[in-house]
Amino acid sequence: MVTEKKTYRVLIAKPGLDGHDRGAKVIVRALRDAGFEVIYTGIRQTPEMIAEAALQEDVDAVGLSLLSGAHMTLFPQVAGLLKKKGMKGVLLFGGGIIPDEDVPALKKKGVHQVFGPGTPLSSIVGYLQENLPRARGK
Amino acid sequence: MRAGSKASAAALAQGVRAGDKRSLARALSLLIDEAPDADILIQKFFSDSGRAQKIGLSGPPGTGKSTLCGRLIAHFRGLGLRVGVLAVDPTSPLTGGAFLGDRLRVQEHVSDPGVFMRSLGSRGMVGGVSQTIFGAIHALEAAGFSKIIVETVGTGQDEVTIAKVADTVAYVTTPQLGDEIQAMKAGVMEIGDVFVVNKADLGGKDKAVSDLRSALALGRGPEKKPWEPPVVAVSAATGEGVPELGKILEDHWRHLMGSGEGRARRSAQHKEELSLYISRRLYRKALDRITDEDLERMLDHRSDPVAVARRILKPVRG
């Protein structure tokens, strides 16, 4: 009768020098309310700090929020470090002010999904709910 | 299949002992999720238990426990000690979700190889910690950390489980959180081995320290106890008072080691661990026995809660 669902853990991080964290906090709140355990790093994180936090927390997904325009540099660095630390099954997604034309390049460099401005919160929640069970089945 | 799983749990345990952070992180997940291999890990790790000082940081929400935790990490690292942190935040009873926000205050230490931090949701446990806290502690003990900080959820007046988990409890409060009458109440004020008045930079600290001291003094008999909980003013924001707190924590650890008290506390911890382990499993097994038919019978008033519960508990009671 009692079915205990696996609780997925998600790290939300803000890489780089951009201090605008309202968006990240909205995502944190939406994921919390959707039943995830959400860890937030705070602002001004280096890719190394983010990857190390993801490792120690053994999260199932990492979400990066960036509004400064440095996503082409910082997102792939996080992807590379996660891989280097042996976290292959981790879903990496990003959001912020990211032009559509950058998305294919980001995906090629290991970012699994990108959510641009105006994405409904339910799309992000739905994406994780759909993809996490598969990603963790590694 | 179980044999293979046993082998992989053994390999994981070996990785934890060797200081591999990825193995430790994975092991913690298995323990926290109560995966089938969790039992094997606990059995492998238990022989290392009791060597590290487990420091409980407890106190109301917003008193600065996490910031203080960051300061204590820096203090211990300055002494060359390796520090493990388990920080518990509340899980929503409504959605099962949680915002684990303690890491934010400690992030500057994240890349220090001598520090490891894990955030935990309380996952239905009332009392300030999580059901699986002991397993998580065992993993950090096996990984060789000599100081293990357990930060509780922001506590109310009677959430005192940390006293049965930690060797040394630092109860954190702030100025303006209440007068001597508050400090005389039962519950959390009984469990501190040291009382920390944090945010000493805000003013009002002297009054808070003296209120706490005089409330504690009311319970003092004619004979001096081997350990009387000191009260210390600290500012986690500026670092003021942190070395003093560090020294008190060390003194308490020496007191525990040098008296029978350390052994008595560990015995109480083992009892609490057993109680959590057993109640958790019995509870689950019992709930698994509730059938749809039981509920149907109750709906039709052909049975009642007592009769159903007794039938369910019978085989468990043995």
Side-chain angles (χ1 to χ4, degrees):
Chain A
M1 286 293 291
V2 219
T3 43
E4 286 192 37
K5 273 198 317 188
K6 158 145 181 69
T7 304
Y8 289 106
R9 296 165 60 86
V10 182
L11 183 80
I12 299 296
K14 279 203 58 76
L17 296 173
D18 141 43
H20 301 275
D21 62 350
R22 186 84 193 153
K25 285 173 177 165
V26 169
I27 302 292
V28 164
R29 178 60 196 265
L31 294 177
R32 188 201 83 180
D33 289 346
F36 293 91
E37 282 186 353
V38 196
I39 298 128
Y40 177 49
T41 61
I43 58 174
R44 304 206 179 95
Q45 302 286 304
T46 66
E48 170 61 33
M49 287 163 96
I50 294 167
E52 184 62 25
L55 176 132
Q56 292 186 15
E57 298 288 352
D58 192 31
V59 289
D60 305 288
V62 175
L64 304 173
S65 165
L66 192 68
L67 286 75
S68 71
H71 50 272
M72 295 305 283
T73 315
L74 293 171
F75 285 12
Q77 281 181 10
V78 174
L81 284 167
L82 286 175
K83 207 167 278 171
K84 199 176 132 199
K85 288 175 188 282
M87 301 195 63
K88 292 191 186 83
V90 173
L91 216 55
L92 180 64
F93 63 102
I97 313 286
I98 295 166
D100 287 346
E101 56 263 36
D102 288 349
V103 174
L106 286 173
K107 286 195 170 169
K108 208 176 273 175
K109 289 183 174 163
V111 181
H112 296 104
Q113 187 60 277
V114 177
F115 299 100
T119 307
L121 291 169
S122 56
S123 312
I124 301 170
V125 170
Y127 168 78
L128 290 176
Q129 281 168 341
E130 197 189 317
N131 287 281
L132 280 179
R134 265 187 275 162
R136 264 316 210 190
K138 59 193 162 143
Chain B
M1 191 188 130
R2 288 303 297 153
S5 152
K6 197 165 184 174
S8 72
L12 199 57
Q14 217 164 28
V16 171
R17 283 241 162 70
D20 174 45
K21 285 193 171 183
R22 174 84 179 125
S23 299
L24 176 55
R26 284 303 299 151
L28 282 168
S29 293
L30 297 178
L31 290 160
I32 290 163
D33 288 341
E34 298 177 293
D37 285 351
D39 282 357
I40 304 173
L41 291 175
I42 293 173
Q43 289 185 296
K44 295 239 175 249
F45 291 153
F46 186 72
S47 57
D48 285 316
S49 77
R51 283 188 210 137
Q53 182 184 17
K54 302 180 288 293
I55 298 167
L57 280 184
S58 196
T63 47
K65 296 182 291 298
S66 304
T67 311
L68 185 60
C69 179
R71 287 286 179 186
L72 284 175
I73 292 173
H75 172 81
F76 289 132
R77 291 302 293 143
L79 300 172
L81 301 168
R82 295 176 66 227
V83 190
V85 179
L86 298 169
V88 190
D89 263 329
T91 296
S92 164
L94 306 176
T95 67
F99 171 41
L100 310 178
D102 296 325
R103 188 162 199 106
L104 197 140
R105 324 273 181 198
V106 192
Q107 261 301 79
E108 59 179 295
H109 301 289
V110 69
S111 301
D112 178 341
V115 178
F116 189 98
M117 174 175 186
R118 185 58 172 264
S119 314
L120 286 77
S122 60
R123 295 197 181 177
M125 168 122 175
V126 177
V129 289
S130 65
Q131 307 269 6
T132 52
I133 193 76
F134 283 103
I137 287 172
H138 293 327
L140 291 180
E141 287 170 327
F145 293 98
S146 49
K147 300 289 171 187
I148 297 173
I149 300 174
V150 180
E151 185 187 327
T152 70
V153 305
T155 53
Q157 289 181 312
D158 63 355
E159 292 166 281
V160 294
T161 311
I162 189 66
K164 294 173 186 165
V165 172
D167 303 306
T168 303
V169 175
Y171 185 76
V172 185
T173 179
T174 67
Q176 320 289 356
L177 257 190
D179 58 7
E180 190 187 347
I181 298 299
Q182 284 304 328
M184 285 167 65
K185 291 186 178 170
V188 289
M189 285 300 300
E190 297 172 272
I191 62 160
D193 298 301
V194 49
F195 289 86
V196 181
V197 175
N198 191 24
K199 308 197 185 182
D201 50 304
L202 289 186
K205 69 166 176 188
D206 294 337
K207 166 97 168 60
V209 168
S210 104
D211 280 348
L212 280 172
R213 279 194 184 135
S214 81
L216 290 168
L218 293 173
R220 230 164 259 168
E223 284 153 56
K224 206 167 178 289
K225 284 191 208 132
W227 181 267
E228 296 284 2
V231 181
V232 59
V234 165
S235 166
T238 67
E240 173 199 339
V242 173
E244 289 82 351
L245 174 59
K247 188 182 173 301
I248 292 169
L249 295 173
E250 193 55 38
D251 287 348
H252 188 252
W253 183 229
R254 287 223 187 96
H255 157 70
L256 291 181
M257 292 294 100
S259 67
E261 181 62 17
R263 207 177 154 79
R265 287 210 180 184
R266 283 213 309 284
S267 163
Q269 289 162 16
H270 295 336
K271 191 173 169 194
E272 180 69 12
E273 178 168 11
L274 282 172
S275 150
L276 281 176
Y277 186 100
I278 292 168
S279 59
R280 189 108 171 112
R281 273 158 189 77
L282 280 186
Y283 176 73
R284 273 217 196 122
K285 264 195 191 140
L287 289 194
D288 277 343
R289 292 204 174 111
I290 303 173
T291 64
D292 288 337
E293 206 200 321
D294 289 328
L295 301 175
E296 283 296 321
R297 287 164 62 87
M298 284 174 74
L299 280 170
D300 299 340
H301 295 140
R302 280 182 292 136
S303 191
D304 59 76
V306 175
V308 173
R310 284 203 172 149
R311 183 189 58 74
I312 284 168
L313 287 176
K314 217 170 190 176
V316 183
R317 264 196 268 165

